[in-house]
Amino acid sequence: HFDLSKFQKEMEAFKLPRQQFHFVTHRYSMADDHALAVAYANALRSAVVATLKVDGRFIATKRMYLDSQVLQKHLQLLHDHLVGRDQDKEVGVEKRDIPIFLFSMD
């Protein structure tokens, strides 16, 4: 279970005196969000690795993993599409969106 309040508290430690942090959370389901499911599927990879057993034999084991660079690219495109590029621009205010994506396997 991800502790959002603890994460926010830890992130506040990086804040400079004149900065403000604002956290917005969204929960998406791959079953309901086609673009998210495509991003996940495109980043899913598999590899066969040698595993040494206790008796000294090597066996081939298939491992699944996510290619983080591919996933980041797809999620950034999805984020840009959802929030819009020049939305909420204020004159004289420097503002940055830093999307952070967390995945739950349950």
Side-chain angles (χ1 to χ4, degrees):
H1 174 70
F2 181 72
D3 188 344
L4 180 61
S5 61
K6 184 175 180 178
F7 173 76
Q8 290 173 336
K9 184 178 176 184
E10 294 291 328
M11 290 303 296
E12 293 286 339
F14 295 109
K15 185 170 68 172
L16 297 175
R18 295 183 57 181
Q19 285 183 319
Q20 292 181 359
F21 287 176
H22 179 72
F23 297 91
V24 178
T25 59
H26 300 281
R27 178 169 277 198
Y28 300 103
S29 169
M30 284 193 282
D32 300 328
D33 190 322
H34 179 71
L36 184 60
V38 169
Y40 182 86
N42 283 330
L44 192 59
R45 304 282 187 263
S46 66
V48 176
V49 296
T51 303
L52 179 62
K53 297 304 242 177
V54 177
D55 62 5
R57 293 181 302 121
F58 283 98
I59 62 165
T61 305
K62 185 176 182 179
R63 302 278 186 206
M64 301 296 288
Y65 67 96
L66 289 173
D67 184 327
S68 61
Q69 288 181 330
V70 172
L71 185 60
Q72 189 275 334
K73 176 185 166 192
H74 284 278
L75 293 176
Q76 186 65 54
L77 291 171
L78 177 61
H79 172 75
D80 291 345
H81 174 73
L82 290 174
V83 300
R85 275 276 176 193
D86 297 316
Q87 185 177 348
D88 295 332
K89 286 220 172 183
E90 298 176 33
V91 177
V93 176
E94 187 174 331
K95 179 179 172 182
R96 295 181 192 255
D97 283 336
I98 302 172
I100 299 172
F101 298 92
L102 304 169
F103 286 85
S104 174
M105 300 306 284
D106 54 350

